[in-house]
Amino acid sequence: IVLFPTNGVGFGHFTRLLAIAEQIRMESTKPLDIVFFTTMPTLHILADAGFPCYHLPGRYRYDSMEANVWNSLCEEMLHLIFSLHRPKAFIFDGAYPYRGMLNAIKSYPDDMLKVWLRKGSIKKSSKPIPVDSIGNFHAIIRPGDSAEVEFNEELSHNIPLVKTNPIIYNILGKILKHNLKSRLGIPESAIVCYVQLGAGKINDIDSELKITLDILSEYNELYVVIGESLIGERVYFEGERVRVLRDYPNSKYFKEFDFAIMAGGYNTYHEVIESQLPAISYPNLNTGRDDQLARVTKAKDNGCMIVLKNRSKNKIAIAIERIMDEEVRKLMSHRCGALRRSNGSKQVSNWILEQLKNS
């Protein structure tokens, strides 16, 4: 099986396919090779997990490279991978299908199962996909989301549609006693807040991140752990009660936090719900296709997340004051339980293995 996660602004595509790959390996009763081809630079994660990987940097990594040149590279590399590994299945996870990838899978025999995994909560205003793209796949997998997911594009192309629960990395199955407080030099008695907003400069006095950190610093019993992405810029901040966590996935530590302040991305949102971690969400309204507001509103309506659509210093301060109440956090954590669902990676794994059973 060849898996192709693209490189978005975060780890969403990569993490979903890694979750599925590990589940397939666990469920398969026959010898099975799983190979990654990706534009993500975090190849050490795949190496640690025992998956061979081929890497092609995204086009934005090259100066002035034309789209047709990059797509030619993509097509040629996939042809080589298909020729070498002769896969029975190809799974793509990305918002937009590359022309080079479409050319490569189009020319490969139909005895290779071709699947596109498309995340839910796609904005209605987002750029339409190429009209001939969906027809190159045998099936579309749509992982569930908290918000209602529409399937108009898939249904209009008469392509088999596989609907699953939200797909997340099996964080609870990987949680050990990390002793994060001891590791980061935080007193055992402290309240700990995890912050990952995905945008903003710490030293920009007008940024939401700086405003948030300043308000949090007013609580003497509170320590802040800033989540730093492995593919983002390094974070530098001098603060007696501020720490930086650069790991993957950071969600494996969620059980050790008292609450989180986060954006509304697919992975972090569902990991927060799975871990029953009370949270304040600043949904990003400027994403190209991902409808973060629709996603987090479901949790808000369920009473397990505070959502700030329009942020101001006063609104942020009021939200933080509310979540600092231990009884409020306990209630929010309890209400997260109503939104938890079984992991969709197992559903996808079972479906793929069933398709390959007679191949």
Side-chain angles (χ1 to χ4, degrees):
I1 300 177
V2 171
L3 306 180
F4 182 8
T6 58
N7 183 188
V9 296
F11 274 85
H13 307 299
F14 180 89
T15 299
R16 278 189 296 277
L17 287 194
L18 178 58
I20 290 168
E22 291 195 348
Q23 193 67 44
I24 290 175
R25 186 165 60 183
M26 190 185 310
E27 300 280 343
S28 179
T29 57
K30 297 179 179 179
L32 184 64
D33 290 328
I34 299 175
V35 176
F36 277 77
F37 169 65
T38 185
T39 53
M40 282 288 284
T42 48
L43 307 186
H44 65 286
I45 296 171
L46 297 173
D48 289 346
F51 295 115
C53 178
Y54 299 88
H55 176 59
L56 172 64
R59 185 165 71 93
Y60 70 94
R61 293 285 186 183
Y62 300 93
D63 289 335
S64 304
M65 179 178 282
E66 297 292 335
N68 64 322
V69 176
W70 187 90
N71 275 292
S72 295
L73 286 172
C74 178
E75 181 178 355
E76 184 67 22
M77 285 192 70
L78 277 173
H79 278 310
L80 289 170
I81 292 168
F82 292 161
S83 176
L84 177 62
H85 294 282
R86 302 184 181 276
K88 291 294 185 181
F90 172 81
I91 306 170
F92 169 68
D93 188 322
Y96 202 82
Y98 302 122
R99 178 55 55 188
M101 177 196 71
L102 293 176
N103 290 343
I105 65 174
K106 187 188 303 183
S107 63
Y108 202 81
D110 267 354
D111 60 358
M112 178 178 75
L113 177 68
K114 304 165 187 176
V115 178
W116 184 1
L117 194 153
R118 301 186 74 205
K119 180 190 61 184
S121 293
I122 299 173
K123 286 183 177 179
K124 294 179 181 179
S125 59
S126 60
K127 181 181 177 181
I129 59 173
V131 67
D132 63 338
S133 58
I134 287 183
N136 289 288
F137 297 91
H138 296 120
I140 305 293
I141 295 175
R142 290 297 300 273
D145 209 334
S146 61
E148 194 68 29
V149 177
E150 293 187 358
F151 307 102
N152 295 336
E153 280 186 310
E154 291 87 352
L155 295 175
S156 65
H157 288 79
N158 198 30
I159 296 292
L161 191 60
V162 181
K163 304 175 187 177
T164 76
N165 288 340
I167 297 172
I168 62 172
Y169 201 49
N170 184 22
I171 51 173
L172 296 188
K174 294 178 179 297
I175 287 176
L176 303 173
K177 185 60 177 175
H178 292 291
N179 292 317
L180 188 65
K181 287 183 176 179
S182 175
R183 172 181 164 186
L184 297 180
I186 298 174
E188 283 298 320
S189 60
I191 297 172
V192 186
C193 169
Y194 177 77
V195 176
Q196 188 168 35
L197 298 179
K201 301 294 185 181
I202 284 178
N203 295 315
D204 178 356
I205 60 173
D206 294 321
S207 77
E208 292 176 348
L209 178 57
K210 180 65 166 65
I211 292 169
T212 300
L213 292 174
D214 285 345
I215 295 171
L216 291 170
S217 70
E218 297 174 6
Y219 295 87
N220 293 328
E221 70 277 34
L222 180 67
Y223 278 68
V224 175
V225 175
I226 301 173
E228 182 181 71
S229 172
L230 292 179
I231 60 173
E233 294 182 7
R234 299 306 301 257
V235 173
Y236 299 97
F237 187 84
E238 293 183 4
E240 184 180 346
R241 289 180 282 110
V242 176
R243 306 290 186 267
V244 176
L245 178 64
R246 184 180 178 89
D247 206 332
Y248 177 85
N250 284 351
S251 54
K252 65 187 175 185
Y253 303 103
F254 277 4
K255 284 291 187 180
E256 301 189 55
F257 297 116
D258 294 285
F259 67 95
I261 301 178
M262 46 166 270
Y266 184 94
N267 282 46
T268 303
Y269 170 85
H270 288 290
E271 289 162 352
V272 159
I273 296 299
E274 176 69 9
S275 303
Q276 294 185 248
L277 178 64
I280 299 170
S281 177
Y282 302 177
N284 184 349
L285 307 181
N286 299 315
T287 56
R289 297 180 67 83
D290 188 30
D291 195 343
Q292 293 195 4
L293 180 61
R295 176 177 301 119
V296 299
T297 296
K298 180 71 173 180
K300 174 188 175 183
D301 293 343
N302 206 61
C304 58
M305 189 173 289
I306 300 170
V307 175
L308 300 180
K309 177 183 177 182
N310 301 305
R311 273 85 67 182
S312 67
K313 184 175 182 179
N314 187 52
K315 288 180 180 179
I316 293 171
I318 291 171
I320 291 173
E321 181 180 18
R322 181 181 169 198
I323 207 169
M324 281 295 294
D325 186 320
E326 184 177 3
E327 293 303 314
V328 170
R329 294 198 302 273
K330 285 181 179 178
L331 182 59
M332 292 174 71
S333 179
H334 174 73
R335 288 179 172 173
C336 280
L339 295 181
R340 291 179 65 193
R341 298 162 70 183
S342 60
N343 195 339
S345 64
K346 185 175 179 64
Q347 294 171 291
V348 175
S349 167
N350 290 339
W351 182 83
I352 291 172
L353 292 172
E354 184 64 30
Q355 307 308 304
L356 299 182
K357 186 178 293 184
N358 301 316
S359 65

